Amino acid sequence: MEMPTVPEFYAGRNIFVTGATGFLGKVLIEKLLRCCPDINGIYMLMRPKRGHTVAERLKDLVESKIFEKLKTTSPNYGEKLHAIAGDIMEPDLGISQSDAEFLANEISVVFHSAATIRFDEPLRVAVTMNLLAVRAMINLCKTFKQLDAFIHVSTAYANCDRTHIEETVYDPPVDPQKIIDALEWMDDETVEQLTPGLIKPKPNTYTYTKQLAESLLLNEGKGLPLAIVRPSIVTASWQEPMPGWIDNLNGPSGMYIAAGKGLLKSVLCDSDAVADIIPVDMPTNMLILVGWYTATHKPREVLVYHSTTGTVNPFTWGQMETVVNSYFKKYPYDDCFRRPNVSLTSNDWLHNYWMFVSHMIPAYVTDLAFRLAGKKPRMVKTYNKMHRSLSTLNFFTLRTWEWTYKNIDCLKKALSEEDKKIFYYDPRLIHWPSYIENYCNGTRIYILNETLTNVPAARAHIRKLRNIRYVFNTVVIVALWRFLVARTDIARNLWMFIMTLVYKFVRMTHITSTR
């Protein structure tokens, strides 16, 4: 029997999405509405947040800039978006009985992407959001009468203690239920003390709980049409909804802004290690395709799909450094703290030295100036926060991984040529320098709300910072001369020796060039 195309499959269906207000969730919803226009409705788990009700958050989502294309092609797209009040931190996801009954009768495809992505999240919180919420989703989906696909968003780093990762759910270091039981009787202080030993060799609670969640899905989700998608570091869009679209500071985004503003000067990183970043539109398309494939082909086992780039289109952190520094020299941000220029080093001692010299000394000097001007000091606090954030990335910036793609190859064979074009997912198509420039530009436009029209003024500011640095360096040299060379016989003799060598070299060069 001829399989329906992807848009045909989703036509008339009701979809349930968790994590809809997150970065990946927003792009998923936009793509479904735009490229599967006959979809019946998308129901999104939402909770009140920061004084905003669920209805207010739904209104904010509908009016988001990400839907600019839809506003012209499908102005009534908002009618297909519906909020389901709930919270993954609550028992049974905090969903009311009436909403649960509605979902059980109407939903046929589920995308579960809600999770905490903070690497330094306390273990208790990470287990609740990344593990117990998955169990609640499994129990909820077991009540769905016409469920055709349940797609779980994991991470390519769920097994980051391995260097070669296959499309399989590996045995966890401990039964997930044992961790859940232990957290019920341990107090927070005990949990904090035991966490490093419990999660070892994982670098953080995020990757640890994500691996446990995969095992839980496999064991407790038997009978459900399950599939797992593992994206690597999800970054700004490549093409859709618009090049460079980004709405958060996670991953490289925060690094780009800190580097572009002249705050970040040194990063602990292996220049030759592969930066396995994946533009958000690619795992989004893969989620939609995997939902279609799971429902139409009905695999006999839970299939895992990797959405990564390092194995098929590698791009190193060193190459990224070159592109980023080049971009910010040509198109600096507004009101830079210092001239943008970041360097990478894999040497701990050297990195700590540059953090002290290039980060903390300027921070303390600036805060002193703030105090003298009657302003509140903030630079030391900013740098301490930035250093804590960067330290959580060290494990990933110093290593390289390889992933397999057999299941993606099977998926590719099942797709029509038109679906391959609309729901592109192959990272080999990416030209990294162009993508990184669009990414940096996206942080400017969508996060900092700056425009390229201010670049001439920004360049003038950079020139001013350069002149200030030249004056500062001159003052330092004069001070060293006055207090060191002019007062010490050894330093003076060393200075004269160096100047003599320079004079002889210049003279020799002059004689050689005149012959």
Side-chain angles (χ1 to χ4, degrees):
M1 185 176 66
E2 184 177 351
M3 292 295 175
T5 65
V6 174
E8 288 173 348
F9 165 75
Y10 283 100
R13 291 180 178 271
N14 290 315
I15 313 299
F16 183 47
V17 180
T18 69
T21 57
F23 180 44
L24 180 61
K26 288 178 184 176
V27 182
L28 173 63
I29 290 168
E30 193 276 341
K31 183 74 174 190
L32 282 169
L33 289 173
R34 182 164 48 82
C35 295
C36 302
D38 295 324
I39 199 168
N40 189 60
I42 299 178
Y43 295 81
M44 303 165 292
L45 187 70
M46 285 189 182
R47 63 183 174 90
K49 186 178 181 181
R50 296 172 185 169
H52 294 277
T53 65
V54 169
E56 289 171 337
R57 294 192 69 197
L58 175 61
K59 185 173 181 291
D60 290 341
L61 177 64
V62 171
E63 295 175 353
S64 174
K65 289 182 180 180
I66 195 175
F67 299 113
E68 289 296 329
K69 288 183 180 179
L70 278 169
K71 288 177 182 178
T72 57
T73 59
S74 304
N76 297 324
Y77 68 90
E79 297 176 359
K80 295 186 177 184
L81 298 179
H82 311 276
I84 298 293
D87 187 344
I88 63 171
M89 292 287 288
E90 299 293 331
D92 300 323
L93 303 174
I95 299 176
S96 68
Q97 183 62 33
S98 59
D99 283 340
E101 290 177 359
F102 171 82
L103 295 174
N105 291 322
E106 301 296 334
I107 298 300
S108 59
V109 178
V110 173
F111 295 103
H112 178 54
S113 67
T116 175
I117 58 173
R118 284 183 53 187
F119 288 167
D120 56 353
E121 195 79 80
L123 182 60
R124 189 184 303 279
V125 176
V127 166
T128 301
M129 298 181 73
N130 295 350
L131 194 57
L132 292 179
V134 170
R135 171 175 283 170
M137 282 295 299
I138 292 171
N139 293 334
L140 179 66
C141 288
K142 284 182 177 179
T143 68
F144 289 5
K145 299 175 183 178
Q146 47 185 338
L147 182 67
D148 289 322
F150 174 14
I151 313 305
H152 172 72
V153 180
S154 184
T155 172
Y157 297 103
N159 303 283
C160 59
D161 45 322
R162 301 171 179 265
T163 56
H164 181 81
I165 302 170
E166 298 182 343
E167 298 148 300
T168 186
V169 176
Y170 292 98
D171 292 334
V174 63
D175 184 343
Q177 187 58 45
K178 290 184 177 180
I179 293 295
I180 294 170
D181 292 340
L183 292 179
E184 287 184 357
W185 62 264
M186 283 194 290
D187 57 50
D188 290 343
E189 184 178 350
T190 303
V191 173
E192 183 178 358
Q193 291 176 348
L194 295 178
T195 293
L198 287 173
I199 68 174
K200 190 176 181 180
K202 296 289 193 301
N204 51 55
T205 57
Y206 171 69
T207 54
Y208 179 71
T209 53
K210 278 295 192 178
Q211 184 188 19
L212 295 182
E214 289 187 1
S215 175
L216 192 75
L217 273 168
L218 203 64
N219 293 325
E220 299 187 12
K222 287 183 173 66
L224 292 175
L226 281 169
I228 297 172
V229 175
R230 292 174 178 163
S232 54
I233 303 173
V234 181
T235 53
S237 60
W238 178 45
Q239 294 182 351
E240 296 176 335
M242 60 278 288
W245 187 79
I246 184 74
D247 74 344
N248 63 80
L249 297 176
N250 299 327
S253 303
M255 294 171 61
Y256 291 167
I257 291 177
K261 288 292 186 179
L263 294 169
L264 182 62
K265 293 294 184 178
S266 176
V267 177
L268 186 62
C269 180
D270 182 354
S271 297
D272 296 324
V274 173
D276 206 299
I277 59 177
I278 185 77
V280 65
D281 34 341
M282 292 197 168
T284 294
N285 289 331
M286 186 172 290
L287 284 170
I288 296 171
L289 293 176
V290 169
W292 166 83
Y293 186 85
T294 303
T296 57
H297 288 70
K298 304 184 186 304
R300 295 181 179 179
E301 57 184 335
V302 177
L303 299 183
V304 178
Y305 301 84
H306 289 144
S307 185
T308 61
T309 59
T311 306
V312 293
N313 188 7
F315 183 66
T316 67
W317 292 105
Q319 291 172 312
M320 183 187 293
E321 172 198 16
T322 301
V323 177
V324 170
N325 283 335
S326 175
Y327 174 84
F328 286 124
K329 285 178 182 177
K330 293 185 291 184
Y331 307 105
Y333 286 146
D334 298 347
D335 303 320
C336 289
F337 178 58
R338 281 177 297 172
R339 292 189 302 165
N341 186 42
V342 64
S343 61
L344 310 181
T345 177
S346 57
N347 185 294
D348 277 322
W349 184 91
L350 190 60
H351 173 63
N352 291 332
Y353 168 79
W354 283 119
M355 280 205 304
F356 176 73
V357 172
S358 297
H359 292 179
M360 299 314 298
I361 290 180
Y364 280 110
V365 171
T366 303
D367 276 356
L368 176 61
F370 281 147
R371 290 182 184 277
L372 294 176
K375 298 180 181 179
K376 184 178 180 180
R378 62 178 185 271
M379 292 309 298
V380 171
K381 183 178 180 180
T382 297
Y383 269 108
N384 286 334
K385 184 177 180 181
M386 183 176 74
H387 290 161
R388 285 195 299 270
S389 178
L390 288 173
S391 66
T392 64
L393 299 176
N394 291 346
F395 185 89
F396 305 95
T397 57
L398 292 168
R399 292 168 175 80
T400 295
W401 289 265
E402 291 183 352
W403 287 272
T404 60
Y405 305 98
K406 293 180 181 178
N407 292 336
I408 294 179
D409 292 338
C410 293
L411 175 65
K412 182 178 180 180
K413 293 176 182 178
L415 289 169
S416 68
E417 291 302 318
E418 185 65 18
D419 283 340
K420 289 177 186 177
K421 293 177 183 178
I422 297 174
F423 303 97
Y424 56 89
Y425 60 88
D426 189 349
R428 285 171 289 196
L429 303 173
I430 302 172
H431 178 253
W432 286 115
S434 300
Y435 169 73
I436 297 298
E437 289 189 357
N438 283 335
Y439 191 170
C440 292
N441 199 43
T443 61
R444 175 198 307 278
I445 297 171
Y446 303 112
I447 296 181
L448 299 178
N449 295 315
E450 298 179 5
T451 64
L452 288 172
T453 57
N454 295 330
V455 166
R459 289 172 179 162
H461 180 66
I462 293 296
R463 287 194 293 270
K464 185 187 297 184
L465 292 176
R466 179 193 61 193
N467 294 337
I468 292 173
R469 182 179 181 182
Y470 287 162
V471 171
F472 176 79
N473 289 344
T474 301
V475 170
V476 170
I477 292 173
V478 171
L480 287 174
W481 173 269
R482 179 69 180 82
F483 294 102
L484 182 62
V485 176
R487 292 190 174 189
T488 309
D489 290 338
I490 296 176
R492 186 165 52 250
N493 293 335
L494 180 62
W495 174 260
M496 292 302 297
F497 174 71
I498 293 173
M499 292 306 296
T500 301
L501 291 178
V502 171
Y503 173 75
K504 289 181 179 180
F505 176 78
V506 171
R507 184 180 178 188
M508 184 179 300
T509 304
H510 177 71
I511 294 173
T512 304
S513 62
T514 56
R515 289 181 178 178

PDB file of all heavy atoms in Angstrom, residues 36-49:
ATOM      1  N   CYS A  36       2.488  21.439   7.328  1.00  0.00           N
ATOM      2  CA  CYS A  36       1.387  20.470   7.400  1.00  0.00           C
ATOM      3  C   CYS A  36       0.112  21.270   7.666  1.00  0.00           C
ATOM      4  O   CYS A  36      -0.491  21.180   8.755  1.00  0.00           O
ATOM      5  CB  CYS A  36       1.629  19.443   8.507  1.00  0.00           C
ATOM      6  SG  CYS A  36       3.165  18.510   8.320  1.00  0.00           S
ATOM      7  N   PRO A  37      -0.303  22.080   6.692  1.00  0.00           N
ATOM      8  CA  PRO A  37      -1.372  23.067   6.918  1.00  0.00           C
ATOM      9  C   PRO A  37      -2.733  22.471   7.257  1.00  0.00           C
ATOM     10  O   PRO A  37      -3.592  23.173   7.793  1.00  0.00           O
ATOM     11  CB  PRO A  37      -1.426  23.835   5.587  1.00  0.00           C
ATOM     12  CG  PRO A  37      -0.861  22.887   4.572  1.00  0.00           C
ATOM     13  CD  PRO A  37       0.185  22.108   5.300  1.00  0.00           C
ATOM     14  N   ASP A  38      -2.932  21.189   6.956  1.00  0.00           N
ATOM     15  CA  ASP A  38      -4.236  20.572   7.224  1.00  0.00           C
ATOM     16  C   ASP A  38      -4.290  19.883   8.580  1.00  0.00           C
ATOM     17  O   ASP A  38      -5.244  19.150   8.871  1.00  0.00           O
ATOM     18  CB  ASP A  38      -4.573  19.570   6.116  1.00  0.00           C
ATOM     19  CG  ASP A  38      -4.766  20.256   4.769  1.00  0.00           C
ATOM     20  OD1 ASP A  38      -5.295  21.381   4.758  1.00  0.00           O
ATOM     21  OD2 ASP A  38      -4.360  19.675   3.736  1.00  0.00           O
ATOM     22  N   ILE A  39      -3.273  20.108   9.390  1.00  0.00           N
ATOM     23  CA  ILE A  39      -3.280  19.543  10.742  1.00  0.00           C
ATOM     24  C   ILE A  39      -4.493  20.102  11.488  1.00  0.00           C
ATOM     25  O   ILE A  39      -4.882  21.257  11.307  1.00  0.00           O
ATOM     26  CB  ILE A  39      -1.953  19.893  11.453  1.00  0.00           C
ATOM     27  CG1 ILE A  39      -1.704  18.965  12.640  1.00  0.00           C
ATOM     28  CG2 ILE A  39      -1.927  21.347  11.920  1.00  0.00           C
ATOM     29  CD1 ILE A  39      -0.295  19.074  13.196  1.00  0.00           C
ATOM     30  N   ASN A  40      -5.122  19.279  12.308  1.00  0.00           N
ATOM     31  CA  ASN A  40      -6.360  19.721  12.954  1.00  0.00           C
ATOM     32  C   ASN A  40      -6.087  20.650  14.131  1.00  0.00           C
ATOM     33  O   ASN A  40      -6.682  21.721  14.245  1.00  0.00           O
ATOM     34  CB  ASN A  40      -7.169  18.518  13.429  1.00  0.00           C
ATOM     35  CG  ASN A  40      -8.550  18.917  13.896  1.00  0.00           C
ATOM     36  OD1 ASN A  40      -9.338  19.461  13.134  1.00  0.00           O
ATOM     37  ND2 ASN A  40      -8.849  18.672  15.168  1.00  0.00           N
ATOM     38  N   GLY A  41      -5.188  20.218  15.021  1.00  0.00           N
ATOM     39  CA  GLY A  41      -4.895  21.046  16.187  1.00  0.00           C
ATOM     40  C   GLY A  41      -3.639  20.593  16.893  1.00  0.00           C
ATOM     41  O   GLY A  41      -3.248  19.422  16.830  1.00  0.00           O
ATOM     42  N   ILE A  42      -2.977  21.547  17.573  1.00  0.00           N
ATOM     43  CA  ILE A  42      -1.785  21.239  18.373  1.00  0.00           C
ATOM     44  C   ILE A  42      -2.097  21.635  19.810  1.00  0.00           C
ATOM     45  O   ILE A  42      -2.413  22.796  20.096  1.00  0.00           O
ATOM     46  CB  ILE A  42      -0.551  22.004  17.863  1.00  0.00           C
ATOM     47  CG1 ILE A  42      -0.239  21.600  16.416  1.00  0.00           C
ATOM     48  CG2 ILE A  42       0.655  21.726  18.760  1.00  0.00           C
ATOM     49  CD1 ILE A  42       0.939  22.352  15.800  1.00  0.00           C
ATOM     50  N   TYR A  43      -2.023  20.669  20.701  1.00  0.00           N
ATOM     51  CA  TYR A  43      -2.322  20.876  22.117  1.00  0.00           C
ATOM     52  C   TYR A  43      -1.018  20.857  22.889  1.00  0.00           C
ATOM     53  O   TYR A  43      -0.229  19.920  22.770  1.00  0.00           O
ATOM     54  CB  TYR A  43      -3.301  19.816  22.609  1.00  0.00           C
ATOM     55  CG  TYR A  43      -4.648  19.949  21.937  1.00  0.00           C
ATOM     56  CD1 TYR A  43      -4.857  19.414  20.656  1.00  0.00           C
ATOM     57  CD2 TYR A  43      -5.675  20.643  22.544  1.00  0.00           C
ATOM     58  CE1 TYR A  43      -6.079  19.564  20.010  1.00  0.00           C
ATOM     59  CE2 TYR A  43      -6.912  20.795  21.904  1.00  0.00           C
ATOM     60  CZ  TYR A  43      -7.096  20.262  20.638  1.00  0.00           C
ATOM     61  OH  TYR A  43      -8.303  20.441  20.003  1.00  0.00           O
ATOM     62  N   MET A  44      -0.786  21.912  23.692  1.00  0.00           N
ATOM     63  CA  MET A  44       0.521  22.123  24.308  1.00  0.00           C
ATOM     64  C   MET A  44       0.398  22.182  25.823  1.00  0.00           C
ATOM     65  O   MET A  44      -0.435  22.927  26.358  1.00  0.00           O
ATOM     66  CB  MET A  44       1.118  23.434  23.786  1.00  0.00           C
ATOM     67  CG  MET A  44       1.244  23.475  22.273  1.00  0.00           C
ATOM     68  SD  MET A  44       1.529  25.163  21.655  1.00  0.00           S
ATOM     69  CE  MET A  44      -0.061  25.913  22.028  1.00  0.00           C
ATOM     70  N   LEU A  45       1.217  21.400  26.501  1.00  0.00           N
ATOM     71  CA  LEU A  45       1.238  21.434  27.967  1.00  0.00           C
ATOM     72  C   LEU A  45       1.900  22.737  28.412  1.00  0.00           C
ATOM     73  O   LEU A  45       3.045  23.023  28.036  1.00  0.00           O
ATOM     74  CB  LEU A  45       2.016  20.235  28.506  1.00  0.00           C
ATOM     75  CG  LEU A  45       1.971  20.040  30.029  1.00  0.00           C
ATOM     76  CD1 LEU A  45       0.584  19.598  30.475  1.00  0.00           C
ATOM     77  CD2 LEU A  45       3.018  19.028  30.483  1.00  0.00           C
ATOM     78  N   MET A  46       1.196  23.536  29.205  1.00  0.00           N
ATOM     79  CA  MET A  46       1.717  24.820  29.674  1.00  0.00           C
ATOM     80  C   MET A  46       1.396  25.006  31.154  1.00  0.00           C
ATOM     81  O   MET A  46       0.371  24.539  31.644  1.00  0.00           O
ATOM     82  CB  MET A  46       1.101  25.980  28.885  1.00  0.00           C
ATOM     83  CG  MET A  46       1.627  26.159  27.488  1.00  0.00           C
ATOM     84  SD  MET A  46       1.011  27.723  26.798  1.00  0.00           S
ATOM     85  CE  MET A  46       1.733  27.650  25.156  1.00  0.00           C
ATOM     86  N   ARG A  47       2.264  25.746  31.815  1.00  0.00           N
ATOM     87  CA  ARG A  47       2.036  26.078  33.218  1.00  0.00           C
ATOM     88  C   ARG A  47       2.106  27.592  33.398  1.00  0.00           C
ATOM     89  O   ARG A  47       2.748  28.285  32.598  1.00  0.00           O
ATOM     90  CB  ARG A  47       3.094  25.416  34.109  1.00  0.00           C
ATOM     91  CG  ARG A  47       4.517  25.896  33.840  1.00  0.00           C
ATOM     92  CD  ARG A  47       5.516  25.148  34.700  1.00  0.00           C
ATOM     93  NE  ARG A  47       6.895  25.480  34.361  1.00  0.00           N
ATOM     94  CZ  ARG A  47       7.585  26.473  34.918  1.00  0.00           C
ATOM     95  NH1 ARG A  47       7.021  27.240  35.834  1.00  0.00           N
ATOM     96  NH2 ARG A  47       8.839  26.698  34.575  1.00  0.00           N
ATOM     97  N   PRO A  48       1.445  28.119  34.421  1.00  0.00           N
ATOM     98  CA  PRO A  48       1.615  29.553  34.715  1.00  0.00           C
ATOM     99  C   PRO A  48       3.082  29.826  35.046  1.00  0.00           C
ATOM    100  O   PRO A  48       3.755  28.984  35.653  1.00  0.00           O
ATOM    101  CB  PRO A  48       0.712  29.775  35.935  1.00  0.00           C
ATOM    102  CG  PRO A  48      -0.223  28.620  35.944  1.00  0.00           C
ATOM    103  CD  PRO A  48       0.522  27.460  35.352  1.00  0.00           C
ATOM    104  N   LYS A  49       3.571  31.001  34.639  1.00  0.00           N
ATOM    105  CA  LYS A  49       4.986  31.292  34.856  1.00  0.00           C
ATOM    106  C   LYS A  49       5.195  32.791  35.018  1.00  0.00           C
ATOM    107  O   LYS A  49       4.692  33.579  34.215  1.00  0.00           O
ATOM    108  CB  LYS A  49       5.806  30.773  33.672  1.00  0.00           C
ATOM    109  CG  LYS A  49       7.312  30.888  33.832  1.00  0.00           C
ATOM    110  CD  LYS A  49       8.022  30.289  32.622  1.00  0.00           C
ATOM    111  CE  LYS A  49       9.532  30.385  32.776  1.00  0.00           C
ATOM    112  NZ  LYS A  49      10.233  29.835  31.588  1.00  0.00           N
TER     113      LYS A  49
END
